[in-house]
């Protein structure tokens, strides 16, 4: 019988909780108060020998490498070019372009502050005055840079900053960094700075106070390393330093060895495929070289038939990489993933497509440019033995071959394949050519065009069987082997499509909540079918009949396996995603963006949604590693969100099992034992501040539940200039103040402090290598292909040059 607490016990518990909360609040306020006092009580003479000042010397840079600040020589050349038509006078509107600062508004404010300091009026300057400006901007002394920054804020040049002046520079800084949320709260943040730096409410602050606050912000971003850690870092850096071996053969061997160790699975699969292709080609070539048609058609017929044999197998193989249920089953139930790169299924699909293209080219050219002309030009005596194959009457022109069943089916197949293969190229599939195409052809550069034209394969396979049946040189049925190659793969693929249709019809889901977030992201929370079992990192297909009855699109599941609902986040990038966002936006206009109420508030007006899955993905293998590095670029964070929630759930379950059932070997305990992950690093890189709204609640939940600090969350906002740049210095200062005051980050709105600009990925790998020497680290990346090469290269380099092994996995989407 369960122990039910009495009312008295409940009351006592509530009082204790209230007291604890009140005590925690008092401690927090005291901590913030002490910190604010410490900020305002900095001594005016700061010791430059200490680490704080040393770090601060790196800050407040007006020109950074991304702004092309290459010194006065480069600046002088730009000045001469810009002022070639203005008589050597530079207008302030061109000042930013001239000095290499791409933030136009910020450059204008900088120009005005420099002019005010020199009591200048007017909007133009000459080269001599520009050099004077440049010497102040590029001054390496921190005090000089601080003075320039202070002058930008001090519009009336009285050496004091008022609340209005602080608010203006906050608004300007947030605008330069595309931080609209901060810009809207500029007045609130200006009041916070005045509260800290003007505790006596005299109405202004001085430069020394601003200096102290900037140094304090710098200090909070510094982690002090022990001497041993520094030595280890230096050792790793030394190992990673590229060294050029004078021996060319040794260099070549080292590169080859690294390549083979990293790609041995792909190498043997491709080698096996090429070997089989070569065997089939040579077999058919020799076979037809020994037949009587060789006397007339020569090597042409051998080439055509050899290519046709490889085409039969490739047309069968190309279906296997897209049999997702089969691949998922192989991933779960077998250990073939150790030898076969199941994660490269789509890449293998593309490789086979290239093989088909080559085969079609050889087969078609050999027939059209060689076989047919030879038959037409053959003498009656030479043609006579071939009459049993091509008819007693010798063909007189090309039309004879074109109007035959083999000719029609062959030409139509080539045309359909050309359409499908062309529109499958990234330039068309990802819409990269949409703006360059004329209006009538714009729809060809879209995912929809790729989706529908790729289904022309149904017609192609029907024509392929007919083409292989009406052969001229093989009359016996058992020699017409096209259907034999295709039978099993076609049956398997057809079965998969039937399973999808059947499963989606019985696994009905109801949309519990739909919300549209900044960045054109639609999130759907759906009821979870009883038998829908999945793992974190997997994905499922979604169909919305209100948009299209035929289109199914894959999306990573963002909910955790332990949760009783399913969720996906859909970014509007193509026709279908834009359409489904529009459909749900109309229905959920009044739905607030917030926590979901499981099983409640189901809107009957939501469009019907069908799901199919789950399907295996590289990210689901994270449980094999004790340490994982999860990297999400933009919407690529979706599979990683499910993983970090799953890690927390599994760790809590393990701790609960150890406390309540010590020594028991239950089934649940076995599941927990298979979960090997002990540390996770999650790096989310996004361009837009609004993107953090997608997973704000989840980030806060993880930060609160992760008592053992299993997961390190790192958010990077690339729209913000790198830390140390003058344009982001005030944002960094506000970030430190607000986090100390409320525990929230002003950029992401979560408990996780955001970083600025892009991560230094080599340093990320280095930190993990130092913290986990000898470990096998799983690196899982989901995002645009641009970063794949760098992350894969670093994983390979650190694996071969340090004691830590990094296994890289790329999510294909």
């Amino acid at each position: 019988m369960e122990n039910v607490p009495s009312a008295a016990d409940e009351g006592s518990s509530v009082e204790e909780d209230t007291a604890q909360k009140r005590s925690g609040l008092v401690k927090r306020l005291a901590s913030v108060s002490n910190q604010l006092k410490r900020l305002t009580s900095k001594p005016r003479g700061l010791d430059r020998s200490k680490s704080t000042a040393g770090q601060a010397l790196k800050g407040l840079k007006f020109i950074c490498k991304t702004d092309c600040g290459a010194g006065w020589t480069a600046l002088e050349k730009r000045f001469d070019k810009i002022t070639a038509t203005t008589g050597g006078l530079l207008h302030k509107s061109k000042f930013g372009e001239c000095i290499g600062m791409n933030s136009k508004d910020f450059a204008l404010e900088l120009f005005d502050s420099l002019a005010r300091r020199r009591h200048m009026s007017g909007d133009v300057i000459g080269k001599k005055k520009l050099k004077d400006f440049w010497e102040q901007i590029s001054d390496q002394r921190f005090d000089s840079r601080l003075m320039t920054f202070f002058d930008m804020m001090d519009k009336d040049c009285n050496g004091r900053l008022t609340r209005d002046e602080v608010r203006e520079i906050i608004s300007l800084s947030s605008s330069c960094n595309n931080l609209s949320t901060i810009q809207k709260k500029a007045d609130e943040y200006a009041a916070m700075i005045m509260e800290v730096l003007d505790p006596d409410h005299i109405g202004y602050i001085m430069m020394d106070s601003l200096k102290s606050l900037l140094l304090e912000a710098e200090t909070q971003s510094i982690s002090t390393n022990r001497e041993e850690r520094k030595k280890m870092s230096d050792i790793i850096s030394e190992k990673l330093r590229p060294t050029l071996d004078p021996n060319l053969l040794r260099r070549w061997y080292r590169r080859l060895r690294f390549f083979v160790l990293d790609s041995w699975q792909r190498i043997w699969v491709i080698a096996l495929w090429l070997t089989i292709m070569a065997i089939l080609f040579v077999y058919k070539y020799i076979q037809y070289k020994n037949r009587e048609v060789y006397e007339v058609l020569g090597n042409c017929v051998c080439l055509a038939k050899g290519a046709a044999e490889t085409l039969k197998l490739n047309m069968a193989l190309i279906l296997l990489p897209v049999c997702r249920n089969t691949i998922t089953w192989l991933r779960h139930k077998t250990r073939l993933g150790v030898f076969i790169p199941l994660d490269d299924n789509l890449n293998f699909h593309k490789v086979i497509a290239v093989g088909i293209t080559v085969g079609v080219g050889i087969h078609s050219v050999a027939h059209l440019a060689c076989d047919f002309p030879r038959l037409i030009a053959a003498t009656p005596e030479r043609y006579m033995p071939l009459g049993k194959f091509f008819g007693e009457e010798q063909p007189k022109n090309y039309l004879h071959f074109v109007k035959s069943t083999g000719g029609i089916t062959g030409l139509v197949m080539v045309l359909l394949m050309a359409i499908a293969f062309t529109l499958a190229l990234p330039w068309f599939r990802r819409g990269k050519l949409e703006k360059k195409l004329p209006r009538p052809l714009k729809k060809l550069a879209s995912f929809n065009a790729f989706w529908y034209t790729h289904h022309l394969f149904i017609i192609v396979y029907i024509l392929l069987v007919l083409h292989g049946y009406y052969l001229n040189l093989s009359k016996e049925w058992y020699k017409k082997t096209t259907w034999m190659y295709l039978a099993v793969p076609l049956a398997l693929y057809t079965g998969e499509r039937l399973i999808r249709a059947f499963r989606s019809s019985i696994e009905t889901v109801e949309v519990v909540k739909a919300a549209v977030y900044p960045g054109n992201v639609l999130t759907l929370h759906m009821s979870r079918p009883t038998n829908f079992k999945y793992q974190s990192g997997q994905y499922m297909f979604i169909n919305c009949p209100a948009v299209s009855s035929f289109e199914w699109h894959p999306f990573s599941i963002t909910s955790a396996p332990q949760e009783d609902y399913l969720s996906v986040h859909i970014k509007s990038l193509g026709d279908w995603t834009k359409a489904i966002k529009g459909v749900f936006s109309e229905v959920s206009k009044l739905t607030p963006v917030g926590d979901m109420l499981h099983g409640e508030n189901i809107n009957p007006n939501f469009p019907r949604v069908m799901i199919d899955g789950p399907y295996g993905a590289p990210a689901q293998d994270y449980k094999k590693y004790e340490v994982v590095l999860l990297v999400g670029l933009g919407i690529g964070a979706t599979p990683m969100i499910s993983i970090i929630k799953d890690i927390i759930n599994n760790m809590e379950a393990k701790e609960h099992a150890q406390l309540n059932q010590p020594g028991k070997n239950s089934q649940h305990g076995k599941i927990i034992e298979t979960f090997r992950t002990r540390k996770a690093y999650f790096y989310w890189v996004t361009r837009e501040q609004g993107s953090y709204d997608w997973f704000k609640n989840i980030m806060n939940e993880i930060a609160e539940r992760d008592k053992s600090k299993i997961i390190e969350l790192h958010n990077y906002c690339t729209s913000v200039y790198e830390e140390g740049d003058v344009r982001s210095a005030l944002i960094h200062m506000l970030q430190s103040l607000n986090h100390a005051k409320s525990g929230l980050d002003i950029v992401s709105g979560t408990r996780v402090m955001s970083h600025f600009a892009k991560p230094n990925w080599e340093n990320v790998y280095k930190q993990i290598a130092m913290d986990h020497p000898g470990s096998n680290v799983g690196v899982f990346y989901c995002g645009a292909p641009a970063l794949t090469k760098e992350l894969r290269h670093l994983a390979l380099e650190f694996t071969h040059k340090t004691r830590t092994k990094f296994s890289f996995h790329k999510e294909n989407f």
Side-chain angles (χ1 to χ4, degrees):
M1 184 176 180
E2 296 182 3
N3 295 321
V4 181
S6 65
D9 292 335
E10 289 181 355
S12 175
S13 176
V14 169
E15 289 177 0
E16 289 177 1
D17 290 343
T18 304
Q20 289 177 356
K21 290 179 180 179
R22 187 182 296 115
S23 175
L25 181 59
V26 170
K27 290 180 180 178
R28 186 174 185 80
L29 290 173
S31 175
V32 172
S33 177
N34 290 334
Q35 186 165 358
L36 296 181
K37 289 178 181 177
R38 187 171 67 254
L39 291 173
T40 56
S41 62
K42 286 276 183 180
R44 290 179 180 269
L46 291 171
D47 185 359
R48 296 264 169 203
S49 65
K50 294 185 178 179
S51 61
T52 300
Q55 287 292 330
L57 287 171
K58 300 178 182 178
L60 289 180
K61 293 179 295 185
F62 284 86
I63 301 295
C64 64
K65 58 184 178 181
T66 56
D67 287 327
C68 308
W72 170 249
T73 304
L75 187 148
E76 191 175 20
K77 291 180 181 178
R78 288 197 295 270
F79 175 86
D80 292 337
K81 182 179 179 180
I82 294 172
T83 61
T85 59
T86 60
L89 294 177
L90 178 71
H91 193 272
K92 73 175 185 179
S93 61
K94 297 288 186 179
F95 180 66
E97 179 185 347
C98 187
I99 67 172
M101 179 177 283
N102 57 17
S103 305
K104 186 175 181 179
D105 292 340
F106 202 92
L108 289 174
E109 288 291 341
L110 178 59
F111 180 95
D112 289 340
S113 67
L114 294 169
R116 283 196 303 269
R117 169 64 61 178
R118 290 158 180 79
H119 306 290
M120 289 172 48
S121 60
D123 297 334
V124 294
I125 56 173
K127 183 182 291 188
K128 183 177 180 181
K129 188 58 65 176
L130 176 64
K131 187 171 184 180
D132 183 29
F133 282 11
W134 175 254
E135 287 176 352
Q136 182 174 340
I137 294 171
S138 57
D139 195 326
Q140 296 301 306
R141 292 174 300 170
F142 178 72
D143 285 333
S144 176
R145 295 199 296 267
L146 178 63
M147 178 60 75
T148 304
F149 184 52
F150 190 87
D151 287 344
M152 288 184 64
M153 303 171 70
D154 186 16
K155 298 293 182 65
D156 52 11
C157 297
N158 63 356
R160 301 171 178 177
L161 297 182
T162 64
R163 175 170 169 171
D164 289 340
E165 289 173 330
V166 173
R167 182 182 63 248
E168 285 185 31
I169 199 68
I170 290 175
S171 181
L172 178 62
S173 296
S174 56
S175 175
C176 289
N177 292 282
N178 296 318
L179 300 174
S180 56
T181 305
I182 296 178
Q183 192 171 8
K184 292 175 184 177
K185 296 182 176 181
D187 192 65
E188 176 186 336
Y189 291 134
M192 183 173 65
I193 289 179
M194 296 301 293
E195 178 185 352
V196 173
L197 300 183
D198 182 23
D200 299 325
H201 305 290
I202 58 177
Y204 60 84
I205 58 177
M206 304 298 289
M207 190 173 71
D208 282 347
S209 298
L210 181 65
K211 182 177 184 178
S212 301
L213 193 58
L214 285 169
L215 293 179
E216 180 69 20
E218 291 285 346
T219 304
Q220 291 187 2
S221 65
I222 304 165
S223 59
T224 56
N225 292 327
R226 292 175 299 182
E227 191 64 29
E228 292 181 5
R229 188 175 182 84
K230 187 178 183 305
K231 287 180 181 179
M232 188 181 296
S233 177
D234 292 340
I235 292 172
I236 293 177
S237 298
E238 185 64 30
K239 288 182 178 179
L240 295 174
R241 185 176 299 167
T243 55
L244 189 64
D245 195 317
N247 190 309
L248 183 63
L249 288 177
R250 279 203 299 264
R251 288 207 309 267
W252 179 84
Y253 170 75
R254 186 180 293 110
R255 290 173 186 169
L256 179 63
R257 178 172 171 268
F258 285 176
F259 174 74
V260 171
L261 289 174
D262 183 51
S263 309
W264 67 270
Q265 292 175 311
R266 303 181 189 92
I267 291 172
W268 86 261
V269 170
I270 295 297
L272 178 63
W273 175 68
L274 290 173
T275 302
I276 295 173
M277 294 298 106
I279 291 172
L280 289 175
F281 185 89
V282 172
Y283 165 71
K284 276 296 178 182
Y285 190 98
I286 295 173
Q287 186 185 66
Y288 274 84
K289 192 172 183 179
N290 295 324
R291 293 186 63 174
E292 50 193 331
V293 294
Y294 182 78
E295 298 299 325
V296 177
L297 303 181
N299 290 323
C300 302
V301 70
C302 299
L303 289 172
K305 292 302 179 180
E309 202 67 16
T310 65
L311 268 172
K312 295 174 188 177
L313 182 60
N314 281 333
M315 288 298 288
L317 289 178
I318 201 169
L319 293 173
L320 299 181
V322 291
C323 291
R324 293 181 175 87
N325 285 303
T326 303
I327 293 175
T328 301
W329 182 85
L330 291 174
R331 189 191 296 272
H332 279 301
K333 303 298 182 180
T334 71
R335 297 185 59 83
L336 289 177
V338 177
F339 308 101
I340 301 175
L342 298 176
D343 296 341
D344 285 335
N345 59 319
L346 293 183
N347 290 330
F348 189 53
H349 180 79
K350 295 171 186 176
V351 169
I352 298 173
V354 173
I356 291 174
T357 303
V358 173
V360 167
I362 296 174
H363 183 75
S364 303
V365 171
H367 273 326
L368 296 174
C370 191
D371 287 341
F372 296 165
R374 286 195 176 203
L375 281 172
I376 294 170
T379 62
E381 291 78 13
R382 296 193 70 189
Y383 177 79
M384 186 177 298
L386 306 183
K388 58 184 178 182
F389 301 119
F390 299 100
E392 295 300 327
E393 184 179 349
Q394 184 178 356
K396 303 297 182 184
N397 50 48
Y398 261 87
L399 185 62
H400 174 86
F401 300 103
V402 172
K403 69 180 182 180
S404 66
T405 303
I408 293 173
T409 54
L411 291 174
V412 174
M413 275 194 297
V414 170
L415 176 63
L416 296 181
M417 284 183 180
I419 294 172
F421 285 13
T422 300
L423 297 184
L425 295 172
W427 300 288
F428 288 94
R429 189 177 75 250
R430 296 183 181 273
K432 295 180 180 179
L433 295 179
E434 184 178 6
K435 295 181 180 179
K436 298 180 181 179
L437 292 174
R439 185 177 294 274
L441 301 179
K442 283 187 179 296
K443 289 193 174 182
L444 293 179
S446 66
F447 185 86
N448 280 356
F450 154 75
W451 174 265
Y452 286 110
T453 56
H454 230 59
H455 283 76
L456 292 173
F457 80 91
I458 299 172
I459 302 174
V460 170
Y461 276 101
I462 294 173
L463 295 175
L464 182 61
V465 173
L466 291 174
H467 186 80
Y469 185 78
Y470 290 97
L471 295 176
N472 293 111
L473 300 178
S474 298
K475 301 301 181 181
E476 298 86 354
W477 68 270
Y478 55 85
K479 291 184 179 180
K480 301 175 180 181
T481 57
T482 303
W483 65 273
M484 299 180 189
Y485 279 99
L486 300 178
V488 174
L490 275 175
L492 182 62
Y493 184 81
T494 303
E496 291 237 350
R497 297 304 292 258
L498 291 174
I499 289 173
R500 171 184 291 186
F502 177 73
R503 188 164 54 189
S504 63
S505 64
I506 62 172
E507 290 187 347
T508 58
V509 295
E510 293 179 313
V511 178
V512 179
K513 174 186 171 183
V516 177
Y517 289 99
N520 288 321
V521 169
L522 169 71
T523 179
L524 298 180
H525 290 236
M526 298 160 282
S527 60
R528 178 176 174 176
T530 306
N531 296 323
F532 192 92
K533 297 179 180 179
Y534 66 97
Q535 297 181 34
S536 290
Q538 291 186 328
Y539 66 96
M540 64 183 179
F541 280 82
I542 290 182
N543 171 270
C544 181
V547 177
S548 172
S549 300
F550 304 103
E551 292 185 53
W552 291 81
H553 292 259
F555 297 98
S556 297
I557 305 172
T558 52
S559 52
Q562 298 85 355
E563 293 171 323
D564 58 356
Y565 67 95
L566 296 172
S567 67
V568 293
H569 286 68
I570 302 171
K571 186 171 179 64
S572 299
L573 295 173
D575 297 340
W576 187 88
T577 51
K578 290 177 181 176
I580 193 172
K581 172 181 170 288
V583 167
F584 276 93
S585 295
E586 288 298 318
V587 179
S588 57
K589 280 181 179 177
L590 302 178
T591 302
V593 176
D595 293 330
M596 185 184 72
L597 300 176
H598 305 311
E600 299 178 18
N601 294 345
I602 296 176
N603 191 330
N605 297 320
F606 278 141
R608 189 164 63 96
V609 168
M610 295 186 291
I611 64 171
D612 175 53
Y615 291 104
Q620 76 178 68
D621 294 331
Y622 81 93
K623 293 182 180 180
K624 299 178 181 178
Y625 302 93
E626 290 188 358
V627 182
V628 293
L629 170 59
L630 310 172
V631 181
L633 210 63
I635 197 63
T638 49
M640 312 308 171
I641 291 296
S642 178
I643 288 174
I644 61 175
K645 288 198 291 185
D646 190 36
I647 291 173
I648 290 295
N649 291 336
N650 276 284
M651 293 305 296
E652 287 182 347
K654 182 178 179 181
E655 291 173 1
H656 181 74
Q658 290 174 344
L659 290 173
N660 296 323
Q661 294 181 338
K664 288 190 177 182
N665 190 18
S666 62
Q667 185 65 27
H668 184 71
K670 291 180 180 179
I671 296 173
I672 295 299
E673 283 301 318
T674 61
F675 181 80
R676 299 180 59 189
T677 307
R678 298 295 177 266
K679 186 69 177 180
Y681 301 86
F682 175 44
Y683 284 79
W684 183 20
V685 185
T686 181
R687 285 195 300 265
E688 302 171 356
Q689 183 186 15
S691 303
Y692 293 115
D693 288 342
W694 306 346
F695 308 115
K696 181 183 292 185
N697 294 335
I698 297 172
M699 288 287 188
N700 287 331
E701 178 188 350
I702 296 300
E704 183 178 352
R705 291 174 58 191
D706 188 16
K707 306 297 184 184
S708 302
K709 305 301 179 186
I710 300 164
I711 301 174
E712 281 193 17
L713 302 174
H714 299 272
N715 295 335
Y716 279 81
C717 188
T718 58
S719 71
V720 185
Y721 286 93
E722 61 184 349
E723 293 177 11
D725 192 290
V726 70
R727 286 160 289 188
S728 63
L730 203 61
I731 304 299
H732 186 34
M733 182 175 69
L734 288 172
Q735 184 186 45
S736 301
L737 277 176
N738 196 70
H739 200 272
K741 183 178 181 180
S742 64
L744 295 178
D745 178 57
I746 61 170
V747 178
S748 65
T750 69
R751 300 183 182 185
V752 183
M753 286 278 278
S754 297
H755 303 280
F756 302 160
K758 297 178 181 178
N760 184 323
W761 293 112
E762 183 175 339
N763 286 344
V764 171
Y765 276 77
K766 186 188 294 184
Q767 292 296 326
I768 295 175
M770 288 190 296
D771 291 335
H772 307 280
S775 297
N776 189 0
V777 180
V779 182
F780 298 90
Y781 170 65
C782 183
L787 190 57
T788 304
K789 184 177 180 181
E790 181 181 359
L791 293 178
R792 186 188 296 277
H793 171 74
L794 285 171
L796 184 62
E797 191 173 23
F798 272 81
T799 296
H800 295 297
K801 294 184 178 181
T802 69
R803 292 171 53 204
T804 307
K805 181 181 179 182
F806 291 84
S807 302
F808 180 79
H809 305 269
K810 163 72 168 65
E811 188 81 18
N812 297 306
F813 77 105

